[in-house]
Amino acid sequence: MDTRVIDGVALARRLREAIRERAAELAKRGRTPGLVAIRVGDDPASKVYVSTKMRVSVEVGIYSEHVELGADATEEELLRRIQALNAEPRIHGILVQLPLPKHIATDRILEAIAPEKDVDGFHPCNVGLLATGQPRFVPCTPAGVMAMLETEGIALDGREAVIIGRSNIVGKPMALLLLQKGATVTICHSRTQDLSSHTRRADIVVAAVGRPHLVGAGMVKPGAVVIDVGINRLSDGRLVGDVAFQSMLGKVACVTPVPGGVGPMTVTMLMANTVRAAELASRAA
Ligand code: NAP
């Protein structure tokens, strides 16, 4: 079987063009979309993620600010920053880069972001809207996966989807989105018995675990669609996913590479959410 390798970079480029046009339309009316990223501490991966988000914001015409707080910043300090940004009309999207240092309660911080500026889609209000089928801001990674599946013309209605990972930012919202498209969804996690017995019957497998090469060719059925969300840094410096990519070639219908698959789509969806936040604010004004 010929395996199609889904090119997340090319797809993200196309989508960003459309986002840029929407941002320009808002700018013409004096309503340039604005995004703030807050980073606390010195986590090297977080630094890379935030700088990518800032760079892409500029590319698509979103005004962006980067707030950097030291690892010893207090929860109260972070809450005060968020409250000030909630009231700032130039800012339509606020994201707090995770993970936060252990002394800060992540839930409290995410709940402090105004739901209409919560472009990561992590506020309980937005999680609830997604769960009830009225999504406002969908978490960026699962939104990116859905955009990929749609653009690739992959049918979901009535098909078996197996997600590995049950985090609030990837696995759970991914399950809701696939369910809303008519897939029969199974969520697996670290307590799942016999993971392969689930993945082998899936038409669509989404791996969001954080374990290099966890999913090998023996775990998927011929002709499946395999989406690799994982990002893992090996000791030799290489970046790999949760899927043994090479082993999939010739066996599955479609697979996403790492890097160059889901990652660029995640950043693109953040831009889409920010422009949407600015459009909604402009309509409400
Ligand atoms: P997470 O919060 O650590 O969740 C990982 C999930 O995997 C958990 O539900 C865990 O189960 C499950 N798990 C761990 N070991 C397992 C095993 N051996 N078998 C089955 N399930 C297992 O991670 P996350 O934030 O969802 O991220 C997952 C991966 O995606 C990471 O590599 C992350 O870097 C990457 N990521 C990529 C993007 C992107 O843009 N491409 C965006 C976000 C995240 P329990 O719940 O039982 O512990």
Side-chain angles (χ1 to χ4, degrees):
M1 159 173 291
D2 274 347
T3 300
R4 191 158 83 236
V5 176
I6 302 177
D7 184 346
V9 176
L11 178 54
R13 200 179 298 128
R14 288 209 301 278
L15 294 179
R16 285 176 199 173
E17 197 48 56
I19 294 167
R20 195 196 334 264
E21 283 169 19
R22 284 164 61 195
E25 200 50 51
L26 285 158
K28 261 194 246 162
R29 293 190 274 123
R31 296 184 180 276
T32 301
L35 173 69
V36 168
I38 306 176
R39 187 170 59 74
V40 186
D42 296 315
D43 177 54
S46 292
K47 278 189 187 172
V48 174
Y49 293 144
V50 170
S51 69
T52 304
K53 289 167 186 176
M54 296 293 96
R55 177 177 53 74
V56 177
S57 301
V58 174
E59 268 172 41
V60 299
I62 291 175
Y63 165 77
S64 61
E65 287 178 20
H66 180 185
V67 175
E68 292 175 271
L69 300 178
D72 56 352
T74 63
E75 192 172 296
E76 296 312 318
E77 196 177 344
L78 184 51
L79 287 170
R80 272 197 305 277
R81 290 286 190 137
I82 291 171
Q83 277 148 14
L85 291 164
N86 282 344
E88 170 56 60
R90 274 198 316 169
I91 297 302
H92 305 94
I94 302 170
L95 80 86
V96 176
Q97 185 66 41
L98 302 180
L100 288 168
K102 297 231 176 326
H103 65 278
I104 297 179
T106 302
D107 287 353
R108 211 172 152 220
I109 297 303
L110 296 180
E111 285 169 27
I113 298 172
E116 61 280 7
K117 296 192 177 189
D118 167 41
V119 287
D120 263 338
F122 297 159
H123 189 287
C125 259
N126 288 316
V127 175
L129 285 172
L130 173 61
T132 53
Q134 321 154 69
R136 173 169 50 188
F137 301 121
V138 175
C140 302
T141 301
V145 172
M146 293 306 285
M148 244 174 182
L149 294 172
E150 191 183 328
T151 320
E152 292 293 319
I154 294 161
L156 299 172
D157 196 32
R159 302 188 82 197
E160 289 279 343
V162 172
I163 300 160
I164 320 172
R166 57 172 164 177
S167 70
N168 288 338
I169 66 169
V170 189
K172 285 184 204 161
M174 190 76 251
L176 289 169
L177 290 165
L178 289 166
L179 193 61
Q180 282 159 16
K181 291 289 179 190
T184 300
V185 180
T186 303
I187 309 181
C188 300
H189 45 80
S190 70
R191 318 294 294 169
T192 298
Q193 304 290 307
D194 194 2
L195 182 60
S196 297
S197 69
H198 296 280
T199 55
R200 271 201 299 263
R201 59 177 168 68
D203 300 306
I204 297 130
V205 177
V206 181
V209 182
R211 299 273 182 282
H213 302 153
L214 174 78
V215 182
M219 291 176 67
V220 296
K221 78 173 178 187
V225 171
V226 180
I227 305 290
D228 192 354
V229 175
I231 301 178
N232 308 289
R233 178 78 63 187
L234 299 182
S235 53
D236 63 7
R238 274 185 308 137
L239 214 55
V240 298
D242 292 343
V243 173
F245 178 80
Q246 290 296 335
S247 76
M248 297 292 152
L249 302 177
K251 173 153 193 191
V252 302
C254 301
V255 64
T256 62
V258 176
V262 174
M265 293 299 290
T266 296
V267 183
T268 303
M269 292 302 126
L270 175 68
M271 302 304 134
N273 280 349
T274 304
V275 169
R276 181 159 155 73
E279 287 168 347
L280 291 173
S282 154
R283 255 176 252 159

